[in-house]
């Protein structure tokens, strides 16, 4: 099996690997290099991936990553036993791709006045949600405002929501965990961009002319909707609605009708799947124009979630168990179980064998590289009290889905 480094059409030939997975991050990390993210530092000395020390003389806004120009960090990749290519990005590289490609920052990772992207904040929240939850693009694009946790509050910690089987691949209904930083981004989008387009669409009465609408008449009962058609009226459970039906789903609120779908475009209507695919194409083109040798696609962010979460959970798994009493340990195992199995459940994999490829990916990396993969501000689900996370069993009525098998 032969591998080439992503980001270069020819790429250095890395030779053959006899293991099931062969990974290289030779062009991303060098042994002994300091590759930790740098944010909000002035005059900080940073060792780039080329092994040269550079001085960062510009103050970077909180949450951004100041990146030296020669730190061309390609994604790592490998193949599983079926020949499928597995791509993923270290957290630092993902944030650089997001800031430059999605937010429109300059190639150095800093904001620029030249960018006039109307939906940069929304799109960044979308990509952040994907890389922090592992949802597939088809799943994430169909979630409802009544499903996604978007009320930030002040308690912090992870929030979770139930992904119905009708929009989950293979009917893999499951709990999806969203870190607090992701909830903050969703909250901002709902309060600002989403509210603005909904208000304008209401003023133009766009929601009143939707053919065969499905309406949630009482926002206090978000799982119950009324479907109308030639058959008359029928009450349906929202969780049984297929993706196409969700596009016609409205909420009747005190302010008027609005789409139940979470992600909306400028017209106030739900965004098509093709729009989100175009997001990655546009972001990659912007990175290329800025001289940033990074590219991403939706499934790459899903792989990134799997690799980084597995590394994060493995680091403290045994230590966490050792600090608990018997009852706490039993509850912990019910929630998290083995780190690989926890990631499997988050991804919606039916078989553990599908998920274990990410474990093999980590085992191929040098320890210095693994320690640099997950930055300190990458929230850990275990930091949220187990009483808040709850059990893994489906919610009441969660088994109503007629998920595709």
């Amino acid at each position: 099996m032969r591998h080439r480094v992503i980001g270069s059409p020819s790429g250095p030939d890395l030779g053959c690997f006899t293991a099931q997975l062969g990974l290289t991050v030779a062009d991303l990390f060098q042994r002994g290099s300091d590759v930790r993210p740098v944010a909000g530092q002035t005059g900080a000395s940073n060792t780039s991936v080329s092994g040269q020390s550079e001085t960062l003389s510009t103050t970077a806004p909180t949450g951004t990553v100041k990146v030296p120009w020669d730190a061309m960090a390609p994604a790592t990749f490998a193949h599983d036993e079926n020949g499928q290519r597995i791509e993923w990005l270290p957290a630092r590289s993902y944030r650089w791709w997001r800031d430059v490609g999605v937010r429109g920052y300059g190639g150095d990772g800093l904001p620029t006045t030249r960018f006039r992207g109307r939906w940069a904040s929304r799109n960044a929240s979308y990509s952040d949600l994907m890389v922090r939850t592992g949802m597939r693009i088809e799943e994430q694009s169909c979630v409802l405002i009544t499903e996604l946790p978007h009320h930030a509050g002040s308690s912090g910690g992870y929030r979770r929501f139930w992904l119905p089987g009708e929009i989950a691949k293979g009917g893999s209904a499951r709990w999806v965990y969203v870190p607090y930083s992701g909830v903050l981004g969703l909250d901002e989008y709902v309060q600002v961009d989403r509210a603005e387009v909904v208000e304008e669409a209401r003023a133009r009465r766009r929601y009143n002319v939707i053919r065969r609408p499905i309406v949630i008449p009482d926002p206090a009962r978000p799982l119950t909707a009324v479907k109308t058609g030639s058959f008359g009226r029928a009450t349906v459970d929202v969780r049984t609605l297929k993706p196409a039906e969700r596009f016609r789903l409205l909420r009747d609120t005190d302010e008027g009708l609005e789409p139940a779908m979470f992600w909306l475009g400028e017209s106030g209507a739900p965004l098509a799947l093709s729009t989100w695919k175009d997001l990655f194409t546009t972001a990659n083109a912007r990175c290329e124009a800025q001289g940033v040798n990074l590219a991403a696609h939706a499934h790459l962010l899903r792989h990134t979630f799997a690799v980084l979460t597995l590394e994060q959970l493995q680091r403290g798994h045994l230590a966490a168990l050792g600090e608990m009493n018997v009852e706490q340990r039993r509850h912990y195992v019910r929630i998290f179980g083995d780190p690989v199995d926890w990631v499997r459940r988050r991804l919606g994999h039916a078989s553990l064998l599908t998920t274990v490829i990410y474990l093999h990916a980590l085992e191929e990396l040098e320890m210095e590289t693994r320690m640099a993969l997950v930055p300190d501000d990458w929230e850990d689900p275990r930091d949220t009290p187990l009483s808040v996370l709850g059990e893994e069993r489906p919610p009441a009525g969660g088994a109503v889905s007629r998920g595709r098998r």
Side-chain angles (χ1 to χ4, degrees):
M1 184 184 301
R2 307 189 77 80
H3 304 266
R4 295 188 182 280
V5 176
I6 291 176
S8 170
S10 57
D13 193 339
L14 301 175
C16 298
F17 288 89
T18 56
Q20 177 187 22
L21 287 180
L23 284 180
T24 178
V25 288
D27 284 3
L28 175 60
F29 298 116
Q30 299 226 349
R31 295 184 184 182
S33 296
D34 179 7
V35 294
R36 290 171 295 177
V38 179
Q41 296 184 14
T42 302
S45 177
N46 180 55
T47 305
S48 74
V49 294
S50 65
Q52 299 174 343
S53 179
E54 297 197 359
T55 299
L56 309 181
S57 58
T58 306
T59 301
T62 302
T64 64
V65 179
K66 182 71 169 65
V67 184
W69 274 96
D70 65 346
M72 297 294 116
T76 63
F77 72 98
H79 298 73
D80 64 12
E81 71 272 17
N82 297 317
Q84 178 186 7
R85 188 164 72 169
I86 304 300
E87 302 173 324
W88 55 279
L89 287 170
R92 178 174 181 266
S93 297
Y94 162 72
R95 287 171 168 173
W96 189 17
W97 172 84
R98 177 203 61 194
D99 289 347
V100 177
V102 180
R103 287 178 169 168
Y105 289 9
D108 56 1
L110 295 176
T112 174
T113 57
R114 298 177 183 176
F115 184 68
R116 294 289 185 271
R118 168 71 174 82
W119 301 104
S121 179
R122 178 200 66 189
N123 294 347
S125 294
Y126 184 91
S127 65
D128 281 348
L129 183 66
M130 184 169 287
V131 83
R132 296 309 308 272
T133 64
M135 279 190 288
R136 299 174 178 89
I137 189 171
E138 298 86 356
E139 298 168 342
Q140 183 166 309
S141 301
C142 286
V143 292
L144 307 178
I145 191 169
T146 54
E147 292 169 337
L148 267 182
H150 59 86
H151 298 292
S154 58
S155 59
Y158 270 68
R159 315 289 173 82
R160 70 176 187 172
F161 72 96
W162 184 253
L163 186 71
E166 283 295 346
I167 65 171
K169 183 179 179 181
S172 56
R174 62 191 185 274
W175 288 110
V176 176
Y177 291 76
V178 184
Y180 186 63
S181 60
V183 177
L184 288 174
L186 299 177
D187 192 4
E188 180 182 358
Y189 163 64
V190 169
Q191 299 298 326
V192 182
D193 288 343
R194 192 181 189 281
E196 183 178 315
V197 298
V198 167
E199 183 179 0
E200 181 178 348
R202 281 177 181 151
R204 296 176 180 270
R205 300 184 64 80
R206 289 174 180 156
Y207 303 135
N208 298 82
V209 296
I210 294 177
R211 293 183 64 248
R212 297 182 293 114
I214 304 172
V215 181
I216 299 174
D218 183 1
R221 300 176 62 198
L223 298 179
T224 303
V226 176
K227 201 175 186 179
T228 58
S230 57
F231 53 82
R233 291 164 57 91
T235 300
V236 296
D237 189 308
V238 168
R239 291 168 294 189
T240 66
L241 298 178
K242 298 182 182 300
E245 294 173 309
R246 287 180 167 230
F247 275 84
R248 300 175 5 236
L249 184 62
L250 301 173
R251 298 170 68 222
D252 192 358
T253 69
D254 292 339
E255 292 76 26
L257 293 173
E258 70 168 75
M261 292 273 274
F262 188 81
W263 305 104
L264 307 180
E266 193 160 5
S267 67
L271 288 168
L273 180 62
S274 59
T275 302
W276 293 117
K277 292 180 178 179
D278 289 343
L279 161 67
F280 291 91
T281 302
T282 302
N284 293 339
R286 188 174 293 127
C287 283
E288 183 178 6
Q290 291 292 328
V292 175
N293 188 24
L294 286 173
H297 52 80
H299 221 63
L300 181 147
L301 298 191
R302 178 173 159 86
H303 292 321
T304 297
F305 160 80
V307 173
L308 297 186
T309 303
L310 185 55
E311 168 63 17
Q312 189 175 49
L313 291 178
Q314 280 195 312
R315 286 185 187 179
H317 182 64
L318 296 179
L321 289 174
E323 296 174 356
M324 298 177 183
N325 60 38
V326 174
E327 185 57 35
Q328 290 172 327
R329 193 176 300 124
R330 288 173 180 168
H331 188 50
Y332 178 94
V333 171
R334 282 200 304 270
I335 300 298
F336 291 105
D338 176 78
V340 179
D341 189 56
W342 197 84
V343 172
R344 178 194 67 79
R345 285 177 273 147
R346 302 290 74 77
L347 294 173
H349 287 165
S351 170
L352 195 64
L353 293 177
T354 309
T355 314
V356 86
I357 60 174
Y358 301 112
L359 180 61
H360 294 167
L362 287 171
E363 290 172 346
E364 292 289 334
L365 301 180
E366 297 289 345
M367 184 53 66
E368 300 100 314
T369 299
R370 289 185 63 167
M371 294 305 294
L373 284 181
V374 185
D376 293 340
D377 60 350
W378 200 264
E379 297 115 306
D380 189 323
R382 294 167 304 179
D383 292 337
T384 301
L386 295 176
S387 58
V388 175
L389 289 180
E391 299 285 354
E392 276 291 304
R393 67 172 65 96
V400 299
S401 174
R402 303 183 305 272
R404 300 174 299 283
R405 300 297 171 183

Coordinates of all heavy atoms in Angstrom, one line a residue, residues 87-113:
E87 N -9.3 10.5 5.7 CA -8.7 11.8 5.8 C -9.1 12.5 7.1 O -10.3 12.3 7.5 CB -9.0 12.7 4.6 CG -8.6 12.1 3.3 CD -9.2 13.0 2.1 OE1 -10.3 13.6 2.3 OE2 -8.5 13.1 1.1
W88 N -8.2 13.2 7.7 CA -8.6 14.0 8.9 C -7.6 15.1 9.1 O -6.5 15.1 8.5 CB -8.7 13.1 10.1 CG -7.5 12.3 10.4 CD1 -7.1 11.1 9.8 CD2 -6.5 12.7 11.3 NE1 -5.9 10.7 10.4 CE2 -5.5 11.6 11.3 CE3 -6.3 13.7 12.2 CZ2 -4.4 11.6 12.1 CZ3 -5.1 13.7 13.0 CH2 -4.2 12.7 13.0
L89 N -8.0 16.1 9.9 CA -7.1 17.2 10.2 C -6.9 17.3 11.7 O -7.8 17.2 12.5 CB -7.8 18.6 9.7 CG -7.8 18.8 8.2 CD1 -8.7 20.1 8.0 CD2 -6.4 19.1 7.6
P90 N -5.6 17.6 12.1 CA -5.4 18.0 13.5 C -6.3 19.3 13.8 O -6.6 20.0 12.9 CB -3.9 18.3 13.5 CG -3.4 17.5 12.4 CD -4.4 17.6 11.3
A91 N -6.6 19.5 15.1 CA -7.5 20.6 15.5 C -6.9 21.9 15.0 O -7.7 22.8 14.5 CB -7.6 20.6 17.0
R92 N -5.6 22.1 15.1 CA -5.0 23.4 14.7 C -5.2 23.6 13.2 O -5.5 24.8 12.8 CB -3.5 23.4 15.1 CG -2.7 24.6 14.7 CD -1.3 24.5 15.3 NE -0.5 25.7 15.0 CZ 0.3 25.8 13.9 NH1 0.4 24.7 13.1 NH2 1.0 26.8 13.7
S93 N -5.0 22.6 12.4 CA -5.2 22.8 11.0 C -6.6 23.0 10.6 O -6.9 23.8 9.7 CB -4.6 21.5 10.3 OG -3.3 21.3 10.5
Y94 N -7.6 22.3 11.3 CA -9.0 22.6 11.0 C -9.3 24.0 11.3 O -10.0 24.7 10.5 CB -9.9 21.7 11.9 CG -11.3 22.2 11.9 CD1 -12.1 22.2 10.8 CD2 -11.7 22.9 13.1 CE1 -13.4 22.7 10.8 CE2 -13.0 23.5 13.1 CZ -13.8 23.4 12.0 OH -15.0 24.0 11.9
R95 N -8.9 24.6 12.4 CA -9.2 25.9 12.7 C -8.6 26.9 11.7 O -9.2 27.9 11.4 CB -8.7 26.3 14.1 CG -9.6 25.6 15.2 CD -9.0 25.7 16.6 NE -9.9 25.4 17.6 CZ -9.6 25.3 18.9 NH1 -8.4 25.5 19.3 NH2 -10.6 24.9 19.8
W96 N -7.5 26.6 11.2 CA -6.8 27.4 10.2 C -7.7 27.4 8.9 O -8.0 28.4 8.3 CB -5.4 26.9 10.0 CG -4.6 27.8 9.1 CD1 -4.8 29.1 8.7 CD2 -3.4 27.5 8.4 NE1 -3.8 29.6 7.9 CE2 -2.9 28.6 7.7 CE3 -2.6 26.3 8.4 CZ2 -1.7 28.6 7.0 CZ3 -1.4 26.3 7.7 CH2 -1.0 27.4 6.9
W97 N -8.1 26.2 8.5 CA -8.9 26.0 7.3 C -10.2 26.8 7.5 O -10.7 27.5 6.6 CB -9.2 24.6 7.1 CG -10.2 24.3 6.0 CD1 -10.0 24.3 4.6 CD2 -11.6 24.1 6.1 NE1 -11.2 24.1 4.0 CE2 -12.2 24.0 4.9 CE3 -12.5 24.1 7.3 CZ2 -13.6 23.8 4.7 CZ3 -13.8 23.9 7.1 CH2 -14.4 23.8 5.8
R98 N -10.9 26.7 8.7 CA -12.1 27.3 8.9 C -12.0 28.9 8.9 O -12.8 29.6 8.3 CB -12.7 26.9 10.3 CG -13.9 27.6 10.7 CD -14.1 27.6 12.2 NE -13.0 28.3 12.9 CZ -12.7 28.2 14.2 NH1 -13.4 27.4 14.9 NH2 -11.7 28.9 14.7
D99 N -10.9 29.4 9.6 CA -10.8 30.8 9.6 C -10.5 31.4 8.3 O -11.1 32.5 7.9 CB -9.6 31.2 10.6 CG -10.0 30.9 12.1 OD1 -11.2 30.7 12.3 OD2 -9.1 30.9 12.9
V100 N -9.6 30.8 7.5 CA -9.3 31.3 6.2 C -10.4 31.0 5.2 O -10.9 31.9 4.4 CB -8.0 30.8 5.7 CG1 -7.6 31.3 4.3 CG2 -6.8 31.2 6.6
G101 N -10.8 29.8 5.1 CA -11.8 29.4 4.1 C -13.2 29.7 4.3 O -13.9 30.1 3.4
V102 N -13.6 29.7 5.6 CA -15.0 29.9 5.9 C -15.3 31.3 6.4 O -16.2 32.0 6.0 CB -15.6 28.9 6.9 CG1 -17.0 29.1 7.2 CG2 -15.4 27.4 6.4
R103 N -14.4 31.7 7.3 CA -14.6 33.1 7.9 C -14.0 34.2 7.0 O -14.3 35.4 7.2 CB -14.0 33.1 9.3 CG -14.7 32.4 10.3 CD -14.0 32.4 11.7 NE -14.8 31.9 12.7 CZ -14.4 31.7 14.0 NH1 -13.1 31.8 14.2 NH2 -15.2 31.2 14.9
G104 N -13.2 33.8 6.0 CA -12.6 34.8 5.1 C -11.4 35.5 5.7 O -11.1 36.7 5.2
Y105 N -10.7 34.9 6.6 CA -9.5 35.6 7.2 C -8.4 35.5 6.1 O -8.5 34.8 5.1 CB -9.1 34.9 8.5 CG -10.0 35.1 9.7 CD1 -11.2 35.8 9.6 CD2 -9.6 34.7 10.9 CE1 -12.0 35.9 10.7 CE2 -10.4 34.9 12.0 CZ -11.6 35.5 11.9 OH -12.4 35.7 13.0
G106 N -7.3 36.3 6.4 CA -6.2 36.2 5.5 C -5.4 34.9 5.7 O -5.7 34.1 6.7
G107 N -4.4 34.7 4.9 CA -3.7 33.4 4.9 C -2.9 33.3 6.2 O -2.5 32.1 6.6
D108 N -2.7 34.4 7.0 CA -2.0 34.3 8.2 C -2.9 33.9 9.4 O -2.5 33.9 10.5 CB -1.3 35.6 8.5 CG -2.2 36.8 8.5 OD1 -3.5 36.6 8.3 OD2 -1.8 37.9 8.7
G109 N -4.2 33.7 9.1 CA -5.2 33.4 10.1 C -5.8 34.5 10.9 O -6.5 34.3 11.9
L110 N -5.6 35.8 10.3 CA -6.1 37.0 11.0 C -7.2 37.6 10.2 O -7.2 37.5 8.9 CB -5.0 38.0 11.2 CG -3.9 37.5 12.2 CD1 -2.8 38.6 12.2 CD2 -4.4 37.3 13.6
P111 N -8.2 38.3 10.8 CA -9.3 38.9 10.1 C -8.8 39.9 9.1 O -7.7 40.5 9.3 CB -10.1 39.6 11.2 CG -9.8 38.8 12.5 CD -8.3 38.4 12.3
T112 N -9.5 40.1 8.0 CA -9.2 41.1 7.0 C -10.4 41.9 6.6 O -11.5 41.4 6.6 CB -8.6 40.4 5.8 OG1 -8.4 41.4 4.7 CG2 -9.5 39.3 5.2
T113 N -10.2 43.1 6.3 CA -11.3 44.0 6.0 C -11.8 43.8 4.5 O -12.8 44.3 4.1 CB -10.9 45.5 6.1 OG1 -9.8 45.8 5.3 CG2 -10.6 45.8 7.6

